[in-house]
Amino acid sequence: MEGYVLSNCVVAVLLAAGAFVLRRAYQSRLWREAGAAVAQRRPASLGVVLIFVVVALLDAVSWVGPAPEGDTFGVQKPRTLIDRAFPVDWNERSYSAPLARAEFYGGQALAHPRRHLLGTDIIGRDVLHLTLKGARVALLVGGLTTLIVIPLALLFGVSAGFRGGRWDDLVFFLISTLAAMPSLLLLIALIAVLGRGPVQVCVALGVTGWVGLSRLARGETLKLRELDYVRAARALGVSEARILFRHILPNLMHLVIITAVLLFSGLVLSEAVLSWLGIGIDGSWGQMPSSPGSASGSMAPGGR
Amino acid sequence: MLAYVIRRVLYGGGVVLGVLLFLGVLLFLFLLFFWAVEPEDMALRAIGEKAPPEAIAQWIENHGYDRPLAWNPDDQKDTLLYEHFRSMLTFDFGRSDIDDVEIARRLREGVGPSLSLTVPLLLLGVFFGISLSLFVAYFRDTYIDTVGVTLCVFGMSVSIVIYIIGGQYLIGKLLRWFPISGFDPSPEVMLRFLALPITVALAAGVGESVRFYRTVFLEETNREYVRTARAKGCGDGRVMTRHVLRNSLIPILTQVVMAIPFLFTGSLLLESFFGIPGLGSITVEAIHDNDFSTLRVMVFIGSLAFIVGQILTDLSYALVDPRVRLE
């Protein structure tokens, strides 16, 4: 199966799951009120709508359409709605300022004068187009890595706090060892070993990222384990697994939610640093300032 | 004082934990660089994807990756595990995977430029951080405070990448005050090259440290002894410098001492971006060349410095707080 068909299927599944969750959430009063509270915060809801709905939807589904006019490459590549919004011959030869009529260096006339809203980069790609495309990579980095980090952190943190003893010592040692290595160096080493690529970058970010949450979860579990209602449950003969899932995990959710939110934005910035060093994900926002000779003409180490 | 330090080092749990962590890091590096990656893979990346099998076998043998991983019934010393621990613990790092240069020599060459960038950066950073935050804390609850904190939060929110590009464009390209990147070992030329990276890094870091120090200072300002000092007639300036600053030193010292190990590895981004041939640049080059042995040494050195820094932090508390010594 073609790669783009597969990714379309994934998008369809995600959409269906999202719609289902939204419908269920709307049926419960608690979530309806929470939704209303979010909607009242205009900048926040605007951001969510912009990123998730507009960019992710418009940029998620791609298909091979009839050859557009001016397609001189002759190669049929699957393109998303956003790609279709920008003509195929949209690229210029070189850097230009926003809405300029001529190239910045040399002053040759542009093919699309005054049409590039944010200008073009040094090899003539439209900056607005790159910016919109980058949102998908940012969502991937943040989302996939968070999906790696949270189960990993909870698995080790909660089990260590709950079981205690040797296992706790071992997990705590593992956490301390990972924390004793400077995170940027560790990231670099992991990516060097795992290889380059979006999934590898997310795994490396996940391995360095789970430590903090795991430590928090362990501490909180230690505290919860001794609380009266947990003891009462134990005295009533509730099984260990049920105590864990009914009494402890739900009380850790505030930590998980806060960490996930902070982690998400932090990860996008970490990816920018990796792109800067030339080991990031293709097409990310981080790659734009470090791409060959961006506006400042500076010499990014990754831009070779 | 000296007796305290010795007692602390010998009996304190910090050092034992430090040694354990150190061994843990070594073991992790072994798993990462020897167990998780195949020697054939390393050879392919080092000499090219299309290398003939004989060349790959030759490369693996030359670099000693053909030894058994952890268990060799004939000679227990002839394994990768033993060799890894031996080379790291004796600081005999061997040669680079790519160009056969001795890694130790490269480290010696890189330390100088790294330190010449980061030592002034740390000192200036602490100086500006403390003086600016004392200033802001002195004018607490006035519009100066509000403006200062707003500026700090703004400064913190911008990625360092933007500072570097902006600094190079503004100071290097438009104003032409300092060269955009490069390095020279002779002192007066070096200053010209270092001015821009140091300015950029100070601007990028000052917001976060001022905000942190300000919180620490404000916490101390509300204490009883400050009120007592005011009541007996101390001036505002004296209260800030003699009473508040002195008692805020513990959290500040923690931050500063934790930053010292990073002096050694240098600032990876700054060095690679401003063309300073320090340890950070060596690391970045090692990534691009897939130089696994150099990378392994760099992560090891970074972790070592980090652990030593933590022990130092522990000790330095006694320096500023007499109460800690008595315990």
Side-chain angles (χ1 to χ4, degrees):
Chain A
M1 197 170 11
E2 299 270 353
Y4 72 95
V5 180
L6 188 69
S7 81
N8 287 350
C9 293
V10 173
V11 170
V13 170
L14 283 178
L15 273 182
F20 179 72
V21 169
L22 273 183
R23 217 177 89 83
R24 287 300 296 273
Y26 194 71
Q27 280 166 357
S28 98
R29 181 145 172 258
L30 176 74
W31 284 100
R32 220 167 34 231
E33 279 169 7
V38 171
Q40 272 184 352
R41 289 169 174 73
R42 284 288 154 75
S45 42
L46 188 73
V48 169
V49 168
L50 257 184
I51 295 289
F52 280 91
V53 180
V54 179
V55 179
L57 285 190
L58 294 187
D59 200 29
V61 183
S62 58
W63 68 94
V64 178
E69 248 176 271
D71 187 356
T72 47
F73 303 104
V75 188
Q76 283 278 318
K77 277 194 291 186
R79 298 184 305 141
T80 64
L81 276 173
I82 283 188
D83 293 330
R84 277 157 213 275
F86 294 89
V88 170
D89 62 342
W90 199 230
N91 288 355
E92 305 290 342
R93 262 190 307 276
S94 150
Y95 176 68
S96 70
L99 292 173
R101 254 178 282 191
E103 280 172 13
F104 195 77
Y105 304 108
Q108 274 187 317
L110 291 178
H112 305 277
R114 288 187 172 276
R115 299 276 309 277
H116 296 286
L117 288 181
L118 295 179
T120 55
D121 70 358
I122 198 78
I123 50 174
R125 293 174 298 180
D126 187 79
V127 173
L128 181 63
H129 189 197
L130 290 178
T131 311
L132 291 176
K133 294 289 281 184
R136 187 167 66 167
V137 180
L139 285 185
L140 175 81
V141 172
L144 185 58
T145 314
T146 315
L147 281 184
I148 296 174
V149 163
I150 288 177
L152 203 66
L154 285 184
L155 182 72
F156 280 99
V158 174
S159 66
F162 193 65
R163 292 205 61 86
R166 286 279 159 78
W167 175 243
D168 186 25
D169 291 341
L170 192 71
V171 170
F172 194 70
F173 181 65
L174 183 65
I175 290 176
S176 313
T177 305
L178 280 175
M181 286 180 259
S183 58
L184 187 55
L185 279 175
L186 181 59
L187 266 181
I188 289 170
L190 280 169
I191 291 174
V193 169
L194 294 171
R196 315 273 157 88
V199 179
Q200 283 91 332
V201 169
C202 289
V203 169
L205 284 169
V207 169
T208 49
W210 68 278
V211 173
L213 178 60
S214 196
R215 196 181 272 167
L216 280 178
R218 175 182 167 275
E220 193 72 7
T221 311
L222 278 177
K223 200 183 88 191
L224 292 174
R225 195 175 63 166
E226 302 302 327
L227 286 188
D228 282 341
Y229 62 85
V230 177
R231 289 175 155 188
R234 193 166 279 140
L236 286 170
V238 176
S239 73
E240 297 275 285
R242 202 174 153 77
I243 291 179
L244 207 59
F245 285 102
R246 292 287 301 190
H247 299 285
I248 292 192
L249 272 182
N251 284 307
L252 287 173
M253 278 305 134
H254 66 287
L255 284 181
V256 172
I257 292 171
I258 295 169
T259 315
V261 169
L262 292 178
L263 199 68
F264 199 98
S265 50
L267 287 169
V268 176
L269 285 181
S270 308
E271 198 280 333
V273 170
L274 289 178
S275 280
W276 183 266
L277 295 172
I279 49 178
I281 301 176
D282 276 341
S284 75
W285 283 328
Q287 235 174 17
M288 291 167 62
S290 50
S291 64
S294 54
S296 74
S298 54
M299 302 189 297
R304 328 187 189 174
Chain B
M1 185 65 218
L2 190 66
Y4 168 79
V5 169
I6 293 170
R7 242 189 358 255
R8 186 96 195 184
V9 167
L10 287 182
Y11 301 119
V15 174
V16 178
L17 187 69
V19 171
L20 271 179
L21 281 184
F22 181 63
L23 293 177
V25 167
L26 279 179
L27 193 65
F28 181 84
L29 286 180
F30 174 76
L31 290 178
L32 189 64
F33 281 101
F34 292 99
W35 180 73
V37 63
E38 296 284 326
E40 283 82 15
D41 227 27
M42 283 200 243
L44 280 180
R45 290 206 214 163
I47 51 180
E49 293 288 336
K50 295 197 182 94
E54 308 88 66
I56 291 174
Q58 186 65 44
W59 187 91
I60 291 175
E61 201 190 322
N62 283 349
H63 291 87
Y65 290 118
D66 55 342
R67 280 172 286 189
L69 201 59
W71 179 248
N72 187 353
D74 304 326
D75 179 11
Q76 196 45 53
K77 288 188 175 175
D78 192 29
T79 61
L80 287 175
L81 181 70
Y82 180 85
E83 176 59 24
H84 170 67
F85 273 82
R86 188 198 63 76
S87 68
M88 292 292 161
L89 291 175
T90 54
F91 291 92
D92 170 23
F93 297 126
R95 289 166 186 283
S96 152
D97 274 354
I98 301 301
D99 46 13
D100 285 325
V101 179
E102 260 188 71
I103 296 176
R105 206 186 84 199
R106 199 174 269 175
L107 289 183
R108 273 199 300 279
E109 285 167 3
V111 167
S114 268
L115 288 181
S116 65
L117 170 69
T118 47
V119 170
L121 189 57
L122 179 79
L123 296 180
L124 287 174
V126 170
F127 174 73
F128 280 113
I130 291 185
S131 41
L132 282 178
S133 54
L134 270 179
F135 180 77
V136 176
Y138 182 80
F139 289 105
R140 62 195 168 276
D141 300 329
T142 63
Y143 69 96
I144 296 182
D145 187 32
T146 321
V147 169
V149 172
T150 314
L151 279 179
C152 287
V153 173
F154 181 77
M156 282 164 65
S157 317
V158 179
S159 166
I160 186 168
V161 172
I162 305 300
Y163 283 101
I164 297 180
I165 295 180
Q168 284 186 329
Y169 187 67
L170 193 73
I171 300 179
K173 209 159 177 171
L174 285 185
L175 299 175
R176 292 181 181 280
W177 286 351
F178 302 112
I180 288 182
S181 81
F183 190 76
D184 194 286
S186 68
E188 61 272 27
V189 190
M190 189 168 78
L191 262 183
R192 285 185 54 77
F193 277 120
L194 287 180
L196 184 57
I198 289 179
T199 318
V200 164
L202 276 181
V206 83
E208 199 168 349
S209 53
V210 166
R211 218 180 68 111
F212 174 72
Y213 295 151
R214 176 184 165 274
T215 319
V216 174
F217 288 144
L218 283 191
E219 203 164 288
E220 291 295 326
T221 338
N222 296 327
R223 295 283 175 88
E224 299 272 300
Y225 66 80
V226 175
R227 197 179 302 155
T228 313
R230 276 235 171 80
K232 73 176 188 195
C234 281
D236 271 343
R238 193 178 158 85
V239 168
M240 279 322 253
T241 49
R242 294 290 301 206
H243 296 262
V244 173
L245 178 60
R246 226 186 135 183
N247 281 292
S248 316
L249 273 179
I250 283 206
I252 292 175
L253 207 69
T254 314
Q255 270 230 324
V256 173
V257 178
M258 281 315 288
I260 289 177
F262 292 101
L263 295 183
F264 195 61
T265 43
S267 178
L268 213 79
L269 289 177
L270 281 181
E271 277 184 21
S272 55
F273 221 80
F274 288 100
I276 297 163
L279 297 180
S281 294
I282 296 177
T283 317
V284 173
E285 269 167 41
I287 313 168
H288 285 287
D289 301 341
N290 282 309
D291 189 346
F292 282 76
S293 53
T294 308
L295 265 184
R296 186 160 49 101
V297 172
M298 295 312 299
V299 181
F300 167 74
I301 300 244
S303 317
L304 181 67
F306 194 78
I307 294 169
V308 170
Q310 261 171 339
I311 296 174
L312 281 183
T313 314
D314 211 29
L315 291 179
S316 65
Y317 287 156
L319 267 180
V320 288
D321 190 353
R323 282 169 304 179
V324 177
R325 252 173 288 175
L326 294 173
E327 279 168 15

